[in-house]
Amino acid sequence: MKVIILATAEEVGDHAARAIITGVSAGTISVLGVATGSSPLPIYRALAAHRAADLHTLTAYALDEYVGLPAAHPQSYRSVIDAEVTIPLGLDPDRVHVPDGSAVDIEAACVSYDLAIADSGGIDLQILGIGGDGHIGFNEPTSSFASRTRVKTLAPQTRADNARFFESIDDVPVHCITQGLGTIMEAKQILLVALGATKASAVAAAVEGPITSMCPASILQMHPDATVILDSAAASKLRLTAYYHYVAAHLPIWQR
Ligand code: F6R
């Protein structure tokens, strides 16, 4: 995994946004995987400042959605993606896809979501955040590394973490649809962002720990093109920090 440590959330957002804009301009990114939550917000903010770049041509797929919240609910991931991504980046709403958490046949909706991603040619770059327990998407610890898009039960801690977006923790849905770890691993490029000290243990386990379903993000060690962009607080429990800075200071000329 490539590890990039920057001082602030704003720098993390700018760095990630530049990588995305470069890929879009070069024609290597036409299908973007988008995450919700707080971590990617600096990326979306930086991207919105570059709307002139050809972002409106992008197709986007969200990682996950709550089960049972109507799409029009302000905290449904459909609404959140509309407000944080589709509108500010000027994407075509018809090309922004979010799993259907209100489908009558939820399991069929999960299968068709994976098929839709494949029909679009696969995800070129997947943006990820990470949970304090190491989840990516809503693949909680012990999720299968081979899993596909499916219904999962949110861990109580994840519901507690997300309660900040709702009036009460009782309003946070118990179930979600999430892309599986197998689905996420098929993205051609992965860009995981983590901000703040509450992510430091999960980041250290994901980057430097053993590959284990107890830390789902650790599977990214098996991805051929995964980059982790961290602020200094999220990087504070890494052991090889000096090495990551050394690598950044000695990039081969064609990577600068
Ligand atoms: C969101 C998602 C989750 C979040 C994670 C971190 O679509 O799939 O994995 O990325 O829970 O959330 P924040 O960024 O709010 O700390």
Side-chain angles (χ1 to χ4, degrees), residues 35-40 63-64 77 129-131 135-138 164 199:
T36 51
S38 307
S39 311
L63 272 173
D64 34 31
Y77 283 174
I130 183 170
H135 70 232
I136 49 176
F138 279 135
R164 67 190 192 279
K199 300 297 173 68

